[in-house]
PDB file of all heavy atoms in Angstrom:
ATOM      1  N   HIS M   1       0.831  -1.199   0.002  1.00  0.00           N
ATOM      2  CA  HIS M   1      -0.014   0.003   0.011  1.00  0.00           C
ATOM      3  C   HIS M   1       0.872   1.252  -0.004  1.00  0.00           C
ATOM      4  O   HIS M   1       0.412   2.319  -0.421  1.00  0.00           O
ATOM      5  CB  HIS M   1      -0.943   0.004   1.190  1.00  0.00           C
ATOM      6  CG  HIS M   1      -0.256   0.172   2.534  1.00  0.00           C
ATOM      7  ND1 HIS M   1       0.310  -0.844   3.231  1.00  0.00           N
ATOM      8  CD2 HIS M   1      -0.022   1.270   3.283  1.00  0.00           C
ATOM      9  CE1 HIS M   1       0.868  -0.420   4.334  1.00  0.00           C
ATOM     10  NE2 HIS M   1       0.664   0.876   4.407  1.00  0.00           N
ATOM     11  N   VAL M   2       2.123   1.123   0.459  1.00  0.00           N
ATOM     12  CA  VAL M   2       3.024   2.289   0.481  1.00  0.00           C
ATOM     13  C   VAL M   2       3.380   2.688  -0.935  1.00  0.00           C
ATOM     14  O   VAL M   2       3.267   3.850  -1.311  1.00  0.00           O
ATOM     15  CB  VAL M   2       4.298   1.937   1.294  1.00  0.00           C
ATOM     16  CG1 VAL M   2       5.326   3.057   1.157  1.00  0.00           C
ATOM     17  CG2 VAL M   2       3.961   1.691   2.762  1.00  0.00           C
ATOM     18  N   LEU M   3       3.787   1.721  -1.757  1.00  0.00           N
ATOM     19  CA  LEU M   3       4.183   2.019  -3.115  1.00  0.00           C
ATOM     20  C   LEU M   3       2.962   2.467  -3.940  1.00  0.00           C
ATOM     21  O   LEU M   3       3.091   3.312  -4.864  1.00  0.00           O
ATOM     22  CB  LEU M   3       4.872   0.821  -3.767  1.00  0.00           C
ATOM     23  CG  LEU M   3       6.108   0.315  -3.021  1.00  0.00           C
ATOM     24  CD1 LEU M   3       6.797  -0.781  -3.841  1.00  0.00           C
ATOM     25  CD2 LEU M   3       7.106   1.433  -2.719  1.00  0.00           C
ATOM     26  N   GLU M   4       1.818   1.907  -3.646  1.00  0.00           N
ATOM     27  CA  GLU M   4       0.582   2.366  -4.340  1.00  0.00           C
ATOM     28  C   GLU M   4       0.283   3.812  -3.979  1.00  0.00           C
ATOM     29  O   GLU M   4      -0.085   4.616  -4.878  1.00  0.00           O
ATOM     30  CB  GLU M   4      -0.606   1.460  -3.972  1.00  0.00           C
ATOM     31  CG  GLU M   4      -0.521   0.092  -4.590  1.00  0.00           C
ATOM     32  CD  GLU M   4      -1.739  -0.776  -4.251  1.00  0.00           C
ATOM     33  OE1 GLU M   4      -2.289  -0.583  -3.161  1.00  0.00           O
ATOM     34  OE2 GLU M   4      -2.130  -1.602  -5.094  1.00  0.00           O
ATOM     35  N   ALA M   5       0.432   4.156  -2.714  1.00  0.00           N
ATOM     36  CA  ALA M   5       0.148   5.518  -2.278  1.00  0.00           C
ATOM     37  C   ALA M   5       1.128   6.529  -2.938  1.00  0.00           C
ATOM     38  O   ALA M   5       0.766   7.701  -3.116  1.00  0.00           O
ATOM     39  CB  ALA M   5       0.234   5.631  -0.764  1.00  0.00           C
ATOM     40  N   MET M   6       2.315   6.091  -3.268  1.00  0.00           N
ATOM     41  CA  MET M   6       3.281   6.946  -3.918  1.00  0.00           C
ATOM     42  C   MET M   6       2.938   7.173  -5.388  1.00  0.00           C
ATOM     43  O   MET M   6       3.593   7.963  -6.080  1.00  0.00           O
ATOM     44  CB  MET M   6       4.690   6.353  -3.790  1.00  0.00           C
ATOM     45  CG  MET M   6       5.245   6.387  -2.387  1.00  0.00           C
ATOM     46  SD  MET M   6       6.780   5.410  -2.176  1.00  0.00           S
ATOM     47  CE  MET M   6       7.901   6.323  -3.263  1.00  0.00           C
ATOM     48  N   GLY M   7       1.954   6.441  -5.893  1.00  0.00           N
ATOM     49  CA  GLY M   7       1.512   6.623  -7.273  1.00  0.00           C
ATOM     50  C   GLY M   7       2.426   5.994  -8.289  1.00  0.00           C
ATOM     51  O   GLY M   7       2.443   6.420  -9.462  1.00  0.00           O
ATOM     52  N   LEU M   8       3.171   4.985  -7.892  1.00  0.00           N
ATOM     53  CA  LEU M   8       4.108   4.328  -8.811  1.00  0.00           C
ATOM     54  C   LEU M   8       3.367   3.436  -9.812  1.00  0.00           C
ATOM     55  O   LEU M   8       2.298   2.905  -9.515  1.00  0.00           O
ATOM     56  CB  LEU M   8       5.088   3.479  -8.047  1.00  0.00           C
ATOM     57  CG  LEU M   8       5.998   4.234  -7.064  1.00  0.00           C
ATOM     58  CD1 LEU M   8       6.908   3.241  -6.299  1.00  0.00           C
ATOM     59  CD2 LEU M   8       6.879   5.239  -7.798  1.00  0.00           C
ATOM     60  N   PRO M   9       3.886   3.284 -11.012  1.00  0.00           N
ATOM     61  CA  PRO M   9       3.235   2.422 -12.002  1.00  0.00           C
ATOM     62  C   PRO M   9       3.173   0.971 -11.497  1.00  0.00           C
ATOM     63  O   PRO M   9       4.022   0.519 -10.735  1.00  0.00           O
ATOM     64  CB  PRO M   9       4.184   2.543 -13.222  1.00  0.00           C
ATOM     65  CG  PRO M   9       4.939   3.791 -13.021  1.00  0.00           C
ATOM     66  CD  PRO M   9       5.093   3.968 -11.551  1.00  0.00           C
ATOM     67  N   ASP M  10       2.205   0.243 -12.017  1.00  0.00           N
ATOM     68  CA  ASP M  10       2.023  -1.146 -11.597  1.00  0.00           C
ATOM     69  C   ASP M  10       3.272  -1.976 -11.853  1.00  0.00           C
ATOM     70  O   ASP M  10       3.647  -2.836 -11.024  1.00  0.00           O
ATOM     71  CB  ASP M  10       0.823  -1.775 -12.309  1.00  0.00           C
ATOM     72  CG  ASP M  10      -0.498  -1.200 -11.877  1.00  0.00           C
ATOM     73  OD1 ASP M  10      -0.534  -0.530 -10.825  1.00  0.00           O
ATOM     74  OD2 ASP M  10      -1.514  -1.454 -12.564  1.00  0.00           O
ATOM     75  N   ARG M  11       3.928  -1.758 -12.967  1.00  0.00           N
ATOM     76  CA  ARG M  11       5.120  -2.546 -13.319  1.00  0.00           C
ATOM     77  C   ARG M  11       6.235  -2.313 -12.293  1.00  0.00           C
ATOM     78  O   ARG M  11       6.993  -3.256 -11.990  1.00  0.00           O
ATOM     79  CB  ARG M  11       5.618  -2.158 -14.706  1.00  0.00           C
ATOM     80  CG  ARG M  11       4.831  -2.775 -15.851  1.00  0.00           C
ATOM     81  CD  ARG M  11       5.184  -2.115 -17.186  1.00  0.00           C
ATOM     82  NE  ARG M  11       6.623  -2.055 -17.406  1.00  0.00           N
ATOM     83  CZ  ARG M  11       7.362  -3.015 -17.947  1.00  0.00           C
ATOM     84  NH1 ARG M  11       6.749  -4.157 -18.273  1.00  0.00           N
ATOM     85  NH2 ARG M  11       8.642  -2.869 -18.159  1.00  0.00           N
ATOM     86  N   VAL M  12       6.329  -1.127 -11.781  1.00  0.00           N
ATOM     87  CA  VAL M  12       7.359  -0.828 -10.777  1.00  0.00           C
ATOM     88  C   VAL M  12       7.011  -1.506  -9.443  1.00  0.00           C
ATOM     89  O   VAL M  12       7.854  -2.121  -8.795  1.00  0.00           O
ATOM     90  CB  VAL M  12       7.524   0.694 -10.584  1.00  0.00           C
ATOM     91  CG1 VAL M  12       8.450   0.985  -9.410  1.00  0.00           C
ATOM     92  CG2 VAL M  12       8.051   1.321 -11.865  1.00  0.00           C
ATOM     93  N   ILE M  13       5.745  -1.369  -9.044  1.00  0.00           N
ATOM     94  CA  ILE M  13       5.302  -2.016  -7.787  1.00  0.00           C
ATOM     95  C   ILE M  13       5.463  -3.521  -7.840  1.00  0.00           C
ATOM     96  O   ILE M  13       5.963  -4.138  -6.869  1.00  0.00           O
ATOM     97  CB  ILE M  13       3.830  -1.624  -7.483  1.00  0.00           C
ATOM     98  CG1 ILE M  13       3.702  -0.117  -7.291  1.00  0.00           C
ATOM     99  CG2 ILE M  13       3.344  -2.372  -6.244  1.00  0.00           C
ATOM    100  CD1 ILE M  13       2.249   0.357  -7.110  1.00  0.00           C
ATOM    101  N   ASP M  14       5.073  -4.108  -8.936  1.00  0.00           N
ATOM    102  CA  ASP M  14       5.104  -5.577  -9.020  1.00  0.00           C
ATOM    103  C   ASP M  14       6.501  -6.149  -9.079  1.00  0.00           C
ATOM    104  O   ASP M  14       6.725  -7.330  -8.825  1.00  0.00           O
ATOM    105  CB  ASP M  14       4.305  -6.038 -10.264  1.00  0.00           C
ATOM    106  CG  ASP M  14       2.810  -5.751 -10.116  1.00  0.00           C
ATOM    107  OD1 ASP M  14       2.361  -5.620  -8.961  1.00  0.00           O
ATOM    108  OD2 ASP M  14       2.130  -5.698 -11.153  1.00  0.00           O
ATOM    109  N   GLY M  15       7.509  -5.301  -9.422  1.00  0.00           N
ATOM    110  CA  GLY M  15       8.887  -5.766  -9.469  1.00  0.00           C
ATOM    111  C   GLY M  15       9.724  -5.250  -8.346  1.00  0.00           C
ATOM    112  O   GLY M  15      10.963  -5.298  -8.416  1.00  0.00           O
ATOM    113  N   ALA M  16       9.080  -4.775  -7.280  1.00  0.00           N
ATOM    114  CA  ALA M  16       9.827  -4.089  -6.196  1.00  0.00           C
ATOM    115  C   ALA M  16      10.447  -5.065  -5.217  1.00  0.00           C
ATOM    116  O   ALA M  16       9.888  -6.119  -4.916  1.00  0.00           O
ATOM    117  CB  ALA M  16       8.903  -3.151  -5.442  1.00  0.00           C
ATOM    118  N   LEU M  17      11.616  -4.707  -4.712  1.00  0.00           N
ATOM    119  CA  LEU M  17      12.322  -5.429  -3.658  1.00  0.00           C
ATOM    120  C   LEU M  17      12.784  -4.439  -2.594  1.00  0.00           C
ATOM    121  O   LEU M  17      13.154  -3.318  -2.894  1.00  0.00           O
ATOM    122  CB  LEU M  17      13.560  -6.162  -4.182  1.00  0.00           C
ATOM    123  CG  LEU M  17      13.327  -7.285  -5.190  1.00  0.00           C
ATOM    124  CD1 LEU M  17      14.694  -7.772  -5.720  1.00  0.00           C
ATOM    125  CD2 LEU M  17      12.564  -8.428  -4.583  1.00  0.00           C
ATOM    126  N   ARG M  18      12.708  -4.845  -1.327  1.00  0.00           N
ATOM    127  CA  ARG M  18      13.238  -4.044  -0.228  1.00  0.00           C
ATOM    128  C   ARG M  18      14.503  -4.710   0.264  1.00  0.00           C
ATOM    129  O   ARG M  18      14.473  -5.872   0.723  1.00  0.00           O
ATOM    130  CB  ARG M  18      12.216  -3.896   0.904  1.00  0.00           C
ATOM    131  CG  ARG M  18      12.746  -3.046   2.065  1.00  0.00           C
ATOM    132  CD  ARG M  18      11.764  -2.999   3.236  1.00  0.00           C
ATOM    133  NE  ARG M  18      11.659  -4.308   3.889  1.00  0.00           N
ATOM    134  CZ  ARG M  18      10.907  -4.540   4.981  1.00  0.00           C
ATOM    135  NH1 ARG M  18      10.194  -3.541   5.462  1.00  0.00           N
ATOM    136  NH2 ARG M  18      10.806  -5.731   5.509  1.00  0.00           N
ATOM    137  N   ILE M  19      15.573  -3.965   0.257  1.00  0.00           N
ATOM    138  CA  ILE M  19      16.871  -4.421   0.773  1.00  0.00           C
ATOM    139  C   ILE M  19      17.141  -3.631   2.064  1.00  0.00           C
ATOM    140  O   ILE M  19      17.088  -2.402   2.037  1.00  0.00           O
ATOM    141  CB  ILE M  19      18.015  -4.141  -0.248  1.00  0.00           C
ATOM    142  CG1 ILE M  19      17.555  -4.459  -1.683  1.00  0.00           C
ATOM    143  CG2 ILE M  19      19.263  -4.888   0.159  1.00  0.00           C
ATOM    144  CD1 ILE M  19      17.075  -5.878  -1.876  1.00  0.00           C
ATOM    145  N   SER M  20      17.428  -4.322   3.141  1.00  0.00           N
ATOM    146  CA  SER M  20      17.641  -3.595   4.382  1.00  0.00           C
ATOM    147  C   SER M  20      18.828  -4.205   5.155  1.00  0.00           C
ATOM    148  O   SER M  20      18.979  -5.425   5.202  1.00  0.00           O
ATOM    149  CB  SER M  20      16.359  -3.602   5.256  1.00  0.00           C
ATOM    150  OG  SER M  20      15.806  -4.883   5.361  1.00  0.00           O
ATOM    151  N   PHE M  21      19.618  -3.317   5.752  1.00  0.00           N
ATOM    152  CA  PHE M  21      20.883  -3.684   6.318  1.00  0.00           C
ATOM    153  C   PHE M  21      20.880  -3.625   7.851  1.00  0.00           C
ATOM    154  O   PHE M  21      20.001  -2.988   8.467  1.00  0.00           O
ATOM    155  CB  PHE M  21      21.979  -2.758   5.769  1.00  0.00           C
ATOM    156  CG  PHE M  21      21.924  -2.573   4.275  1.00  0.00           C
ATOM    157  CD1 PHE M  21      21.445  -1.401   3.709  1.00  0.00           C
ATOM    158  CD2 PHE M  21      22.359  -3.576   3.451  1.00  0.00           C
ATOM    159  CE1 PHE M  21      21.382  -1.238   2.341  1.00  0.00           C
ATOM    160  CE2 PHE M  21      22.295  -3.432   2.072  1.00  0.00           C
ATOM    161  CZ  PHE M  21      21.809  -2.266   1.504  1.00  0.00           C
ATOM    162  N   SER M  22      21.929  -4.195   8.434  1.00  0.00           N
ATOM    163  CA  SER M  22      22.125  -4.118   9.892  1.00  0.00           C
ATOM    164  C   SER M  22      23.598  -3.900  10.154  1.00  0.00           C
ATOM    165  O   SER M  22      24.412  -3.803   9.196  1.00  0.00           O
ATOM    166  CB  SER M  22      21.677  -5.376  10.594  1.00  0.00           C
ATOM    167  OG  SER M  22      22.637  -6.423  10.477  1.00  0.00           O
ATOM    168  N   ARG M  23      23.989  -3.884  11.401  1.00  0.00           N
ATOM    169  CA  ARG M  23      25.404  -3.740  11.774  1.00  0.00           C
ATOM    170  C   ARG M  23      26.256  -4.881  11.214  1.00  0.00           C
ATOM    171  O   ARG M  23      27.510  -4.768  11.137  1.00  0.00           O
ATOM    172  CB  ARG M  23      25.532  -3.647  13.281  1.00  0.00           C
ATOM    173  CG  ARG M  23      25.177  -4.907  14.032  1.00  0.00           C
ATOM    174  CD  ARG M  23      25.190  -4.736  15.530  1.00  0.00           C
ATOM    175  NE  ARG M  23      26.494  -4.313  16.042  1.00  0.00           N
ATOM    176  CZ  ARG M  23      27.468  -5.140  16.379  1.00  0.00           C
ATOM    177  NH1 ARG M  23      27.296  -6.463  16.272  1.00  0.00           N
ATOM    178  NH2 ARG M  23      28.595  -4.692  16.830  1.00  0.00           N
ATOM    179  N   TYR M  24      25.650  -5.990  10.878  1.00  0.00           N
ATOM    180  CA  TYR M  24      26.387  -7.154  10.406  1.00  0.00           C
ATOM    181  C   TYR M  24      26.567  -7.190   8.904  1.00  0.00           C
ATOM    182  O   TYR M  24      27.284  -8.049   8.403  1.00  0.00           O
ATOM    183  CB  TYR M  24      25.677  -8.463  10.864  1.00  0.00           C
ATOM    184  CG  TYR M  24      25.597  -8.581  12.374  1.00  0.00           C
ATOM    185  CD1 TYR M  24      24.382  -8.454  13.043  1.00  0.00           C
ATOM    186  CD2 TYR M  24      26.750  -8.841  13.136  1.00  0.00           C
ATOM    187  CE1 TYR M  24      24.283  -8.596  14.429  1.00  0.00           C
ATOM    188  CE2 TYR M  24      26.664  -8.978  14.491  1.00  0.00           C
ATOM    189  CZ  TYR M  24      25.453  -8.845  15.138  1.00  0.00           C
ATOM    190  OH  TYR M  24      25.382  -8.940  16.510  1.00  0.00           O
ATOM    191  N   SER M  25      25.907  -6.319   8.166  1.00  0.00           N
ATOM    192  CA  SER M  25      25.959  -6.343   6.691  1.00  0.00           C
ATOM    193  C   SER M  25      27.345  -5.910   6.208  1.00  0.00           C
ATOM    194  O   SER M  25      27.974  -5.006   6.784  1.00  0.00           O
ATOM    195  CB  SER M  25      24.878  -5.460   6.123  1.00  0.00           C
ATOM    196  OG  SER M  25      23.598  -5.830   6.587  1.00  0.00           O
ATOM    197  N   THR M  26      27.796  -6.505   5.102  1.00  0.00           N
ATOM    198  CA  THR M  26      29.134  -6.224   4.584  1.00  0.00           C
ATOM    199  C   THR M  26      29.099  -5.884   3.108  1.00  0.00           C
ATOM    200  O   THR M  26      28.144  -6.181   2.390  1.00  0.00           O
ATOM    201  CB  THR M  26      30.056  -7.448   4.790  1.00  0.00           C
ATOM    202  OG1 THR M  26      29.606  -8.489   3.916  1.00  0.00           O
ATOM    203  CG2 THR M  26      30.060  -7.921   6.230  1.00  0.00           C
ATOM    204  N   GLN M  27      30.191  -5.276   2.655  1.00  0.00           N
ATOM    205  CA  GLN M  27      30.389  -4.928   1.245  1.00  0.00           C
ATOM    206  C   GLN M  27      30.433  -6.215   0.413  1.00  0.00           C
ATOM    207  O   GLN M  27      29.904  -6.249  -0.721  1.00  0.00           O
ATOM    208  CB  GLN M  27      31.671  -4.109   1.051  1.00  0.00           C
ATOM    209  CG  GLN M  27      31.949  -3.735  -0.392  1.00  0.00           C
ATOM    210  CD  GLN M  27      30.899  -2.825  -0.983  1.00  0.00           C
ATOM    211  OE1 GLN M  27      30.465  -1.891  -0.326  1.00  0.00           O
ATOM    212  NE2 GLN M  27      30.503  -3.073  -2.224  1.00  0.00           N
ATOM    213  N   GLU M  28      31.064  -7.258   0.927  1.00  0.00           N
ATOM    214  CA  GLU M  28      31.124  -8.515   0.205  1.00  0.00           C
ATOM    215  C   GLU M  28      29.710  -9.059  -0.061  1.00  0.00           C
ATOM    216  O   GLU M  28      29.422  -9.571  -1.155  1.00  0.00           O
ATOM    217  CB  GLU M  28      31.947  -9.533   1.013  1.00  0.00           C
ATOM    218  CG  GLU M  28      32.094 -10.890   0.330  1.00  0.00           C
ATOM    219  CD  GLU M  28      32.848 -11.886   1.197  1.00  0.00           C
ATOM    220  OE1 GLU M  28      33.038 -11.621   2.391  1.00  0.00           O
ATOM    221  OE2 GLU M  28      33.240 -12.946   0.657  1.00  0.00           O
ATOM    222  N   GLU M  29      28.850  -8.956   0.927  1.00  0.00           N
ATOM    223  CA  GLU M  29      27.459  -9.404   0.783  1.00  0.00           C
ATOM    224  C   GLU M  29      26.737  -8.571  -0.260  1.00  0.00           C
ATOM    225  O   GLU M  29      25.934  -9.115  -1.051  1.00  0.00           O
ATOM    226  CB  GLU M  29      26.751  -9.373   2.118  1.00  0.00           C
ATOM    227  CG  GLU M  29      27.235 -10.398   3.135  1.00  0.00           C
ATOM    228  CD  GLU M  29      26.572 -10.243   4.488  1.00  0.00           C
ATOM    229  OE1 GLU M  29      26.081  -9.111   4.801  1.00  0.00           O
ATOM    230  OE2 GLU M  29      26.533 -11.239   5.232  1.00  0.00           O
ATOM    231  N   ALA M  30      26.963  -7.263  -0.212  1.00  0.00           N
ATOM    232  CA  ALA M  30      26.270  -6.380  -1.194  1.00  0.00           C
ATOM    233  C   ALA M  30      26.730  -6.710  -2.615  1.00  0.00           C
ATOM    234  O   ALA M  30      25.906  -6.753  -3.544  1.00  0.00           O
ATOM    235  CB  ALA M  30      26.607  -4.911  -0.864  1.00  0.00           C
ATOM    236  N   ALA M  31      28.025  -6.987  -2.808  1.00  0.00           N
ATOM    237  CA  ALA M  31      28.525  -7.334  -4.141  1.00  0.00           C
ATOM    238  C   ALA M  31      27.939  -8.654  -4.595  1.00  0.00           C
ATOM    239  O   ALA M  31      27.596  -8.821  -5.782  1.00  0.00           O
ATOM    240  CB  ALA M  31      30.052  -7.396  -4.100  1.00  0.00           C
ATOM    241  N   TYR M  32      27.833  -9.599  -3.690  1.00  0.00           N
ATOM    242  CA  TYR M  32      27.263 -10.931  -4.034  1.00  0.00           C
ATOM    243  C   TYR M  32      25.783 -10.770  -4.410  1.00  0.00           C
ATOM    244  O   TYR M  32      25.289 -11.379  -5.370  1.00  0.00           O
ATOM    245  CB  TYR M  32      27.410 -11.873  -2.852  1.00  0.00           C
ATOM    246  CG  TYR M  32      26.820 -13.251  -3.081  1.00  0.00           C
ATOM    247  CD1 TYR M  32      27.368 -14.123  -4.003  1.00  0.00           C
ATOM    248  CD2 TYR M  32      25.731 -13.670  -2.346  1.00  0.00           C
ATOM    249  CE1 TYR M  32      26.816 -15.394  -4.198  1.00  0.00           C
ATOM    250  CE2 TYR M  32      25.175 -14.924  -2.520  1.00  0.00           C
ATOM    251  CZ  TYR M  32      25.709 -15.782  -3.479  1.00  0.00           C
ATOM    252  OH  TYR M  32      25.176 -17.011  -3.662  1.00  0.00           O
ATOM    253  N   PHE M  33      25.069  -9.963  -3.636  1.00  0.00           N
ATOM    254  CA  PHE M  33      23.647  -9.706  -3.946  1.00  0.00           C
ATOM    255  C   PHE M  33      23.488  -9.106  -5.332  1.00  0.00           C
ATOM    256  O   PHE M  33      22.648  -9.557  -6.130  1.00  0.00           O
ATOM    257  CB  PHE M  33      23.050  -8.737  -2.908  1.00  0.00           C
ATOM    258  CG  PHE M  33      21.749  -8.131  -3.350  1.00  0.00           C
ATOM    259  CD1 PHE M  33      20.559  -8.817  -3.303  1.00  0.00           C
ATOM    260  CD2 PHE M  33      21.719  -6.825  -3.855  1.00  0.00           C
ATOM    261  CE1 PHE M  33      19.365  -8.267  -3.728  1.00  0.00           C
ATOM    262  CE2 PHE M  33      20.542  -6.238  -4.283  1.00  0.00           C
ATOM    263  CZ  PHE M  33      19.354  -6.987  -4.238  1.00  0.00           C
ATOM    264  N   LEU M  34      24.314  -8.123  -5.655  1.00  0.00           N
ATOM    265  CA  LEU M  34      24.235  -7.511  -6.994  1.00  0.00           C
ATOM    266  C   LEU M  34      24.524  -8.527  -8.080  1.00  0.00           C
ATOM    267  O   LEU M  34      23.795  -8.581  -9.110  1.00  0.00           O
ATOM    268  CB  LEU M  34      25.234  -6.358  -7.080  1.00  0.00           C
ATOM    269  CG  LEU M  34      25.361  -5.679  -8.464  1.00  0.00           C
ATOM    270  CD1 LEU M  34      24.039  -5.050  -8.887  1.00  0.00           C
ATOM    271  CD2 LEU M  34      26.473  -4.630  -8.427  1.00  0.00           C
ATOM    272  N   GLN M  35      25.519  -9.371  -7.872  1.00  0.00           N
ATOM    273  CA  GLN M  35      25.871 -10.369  -8.877  1.00  0.00           C
ATOM    274  C   GLN M  35      24.705 -11.348  -9.103  1.00  0.00           C
ATOM    275  O   GLN M  35      24.363 -11.657 -10.231  1.00  0.00           O
ATOM    276  CB  GLN M  35      27.098 -11.146  -8.401  1.00  0.00           C
ATOM    277  CG  GLN M  35      27.528 -12.253  -9.317  1.00  0.00           C
ATOM    278  CD  GLN M  35      28.536 -13.180  -8.644  1.00  0.00           C
ATOM    279  OE1 GLN M  35      28.311 -13.686  -7.531  1.00  0.00           O
ATOM    280  NE2 GLN M  35      29.688 -13.396  -9.315  1.00  0.00           N
ATOM    281  N   ARG M  36      24.105 -11.813  -8.037  1.00  0.00           N
ATOM    282  CA  ARG M  36      23.059 -12.801  -8.145  1.00  0.00           C
ATOM    283  C   ARG M  36      21.742 -12.161  -8.656  1.00  0.00           C
ATOM    284  O   ARG M  36      20.982 -12.816  -9.360  1.00  0.00           O
ATOM    285  CB  ARG M  36      22.806 -13.512  -6.838  1.00  0.00           C
ATOM    286  CG  ARG M  36      23.980 -14.252  -6.241  1.00  0.00           C
ATOM    287  CD  ARG M  36      24.825 -14.970  -7.308  1.00  0.00           C
ATOM    288  NE  ARG M  36      24.071 -15.910  -8.062  1.00  0.00           N
ATOM    289  CZ  ARG M  36      24.441 -16.390  -9.262  1.00  0.00           C
ATOM    290  NH1 ARG M  36      25.563 -15.989  -9.822  1.00  0.00           N
ATOM    291  NH2 ARG M  36      23.682 -17.263  -9.903  1.00  0.00           N
ATOM    292  N   LEU M  37      21.480 -10.898  -8.306  1.00  0.00           N
ATOM    293  CA  LEU M  37      20.301 -10.231  -8.837  1.00  0.00           C
ATOM    294  C   LEU M  37      20.445 -10.042 -10.361  1.00  0.00           C
ATOM    295  O   LEU M  37      19.494 -10.264 -11.103  1.00  0.00           O
ATOM    296  CB  LEU M  37      20.104  -8.874  -8.175  1.00  0.00           C
ATOM    297  CG  LEU M  37      18.888  -8.051  -8.636  1.00  0.00           C
ATOM    298  CD1 LEU M  37      17.586  -8.792  -8.296  1.00  0.00           C
ATOM    299  CD2 LEU M  37      18.889  -6.666  -7.965  1.00  0.00           C
ATOM    300  N   GLN M  38      21.634  -9.654 -10.792  1.00  0.00           N
ATOM    301  CA  GLN M  38      21.876  -9.490 -12.220  1.00  0.00           C
ATOM    302  C   GLN M  38      21.720 -10.830 -12.951  1.00  0.00           C
ATOM    303  O   GLN M  38      21.110 -10.917 -14.022  1.00  0.00           O
ATOM    304  CB  GLN M  38      23.279  -8.929 -12.436  1.00  0.00           C
ATOM    305  CG  GLN M  38      23.615  -8.626 -13.895  1.00  0.00           C
ATOM    306  CD  GLN M  38      25.011  -8.015 -14.027  1.00  0.00           C
ATOM    307  OE1 GLN M  38      25.813  -8.074 -13.093  1.00  0.00           O
ATOM    308  NE2 GLN M  38      25.277  -7.424 -15.188  1.00  0.00           N
ATOM    309  N   ALA M  39      22.236 -11.894 -12.343  1.00  0.00           N
ATOM    310  CA  ALA M  39      22.123 -13.215 -12.971  1.00  0.00           C
ATOM    311  C   ALA M  39      20.675 -13.668 -13.034  1.00  0.00           C
ATOM    312  O   ALA M  39      20.237 -14.243 -14.041  1.00  0.00           O
ATOM    313  CB  ALA M  39      22.957 -14.223 -12.152  1.00  0.00           C
ATOM    314  N   ALA M  40      19.919 -13.387 -11.954  1.00  0.00           N
ATOM    315  CA  ALA M  40      18.502 -13.756 -11.981  1.00  0.00           C
ATOM    316  C   ALA M  40      17.740 -13.008 -13.053  1.00  0.00           C
ATOM    317  O   ALA M  40      16.925 -13.588 -13.774  1.00  0.00           O
ATOM    318  CB  ALA M  40      17.874 -13.470 -10.594  1.00  0.00           C
ATOM    319  N   ALA M  41      18.010 -11.707 -13.195  1.00  0.00           N
ATOM    320  CA  ALA M  41      17.338 -10.917 -14.211  1.00  0.00           C
ATOM    321  C   ALA M  41      17.667 -11.432 -15.614  1.00  0.00           C
ATOM    322  O   ALA M  41      16.759 -11.522 -16.484  1.00  0.00           O
ATOM    323  CB  ALA M  41      17.759  -9.443 -14.090  1.00  0.00           C
ATOM    324  N   GLU M  42      18.926 -11.778 -15.836  1.00  0.00           N
ATOM    325  CA  GLU M  42      19.318 -12.269 -17.177  1.00  0.00           C
ATOM    326  C   GLU M  42      18.696 -13.638 -17.455  1.00  0.00           C
ATOM    327  O   GLU M  42      18.259 -13.943 -18.571  1.00  0.00           O
ATOM    328  CB  GLU M  42      20.833 -12.344 -17.258  1.00  0.00           C
ATOM    329  CG  GLU M  42      21.501 -10.984 -17.256  1.00  0.00           C
ATOM    330  CD  GLU M  42      23.030 -11.088 -17.217  1.00  0.00           C
ATOM    331  OE1 GLU M  42      23.522 -12.217 -17.017  1.00  0.00           O
ATOM    332  OE2 GLU M  42      23.672 -10.044 -17.393  1.00  0.00           O
TER     333      GLU M  42
END
């Protein structure tokens, strides 16, 4: 309902992901996430 209230297009809402970090999150993890997200999209 948050993204809908922002008036975003349906295609954007339906493809949305929330990434959230903590004190334990690392750059290595972020790079791995990017790599695997790119691979999934392809």
Side-chain angles (χ1 to χ4, degrees):
H1 68 276
V2 172
L3 302 186
E4 288 183 328
M6 291 170 64
L8 298 176
D10 290 347
R11 281 167 51 85
V12 173
I13 297 175
D14 291 340
L17 295 174
R18 180 185 67 178
I19 318 303
S20 48
F21 313 105
S22 79
R23 67 186 301 271
Y24 298 110
S25 303
T26 67
Q27 179 65 43
E28 182 184 12
E29 291 175 336
Y32 179 68
F33 164 78
L34 175 61
Q35 178 193 52
R36 300 322 302 162
L37 180 63
Q38 184 178 15
E42 292 175 352

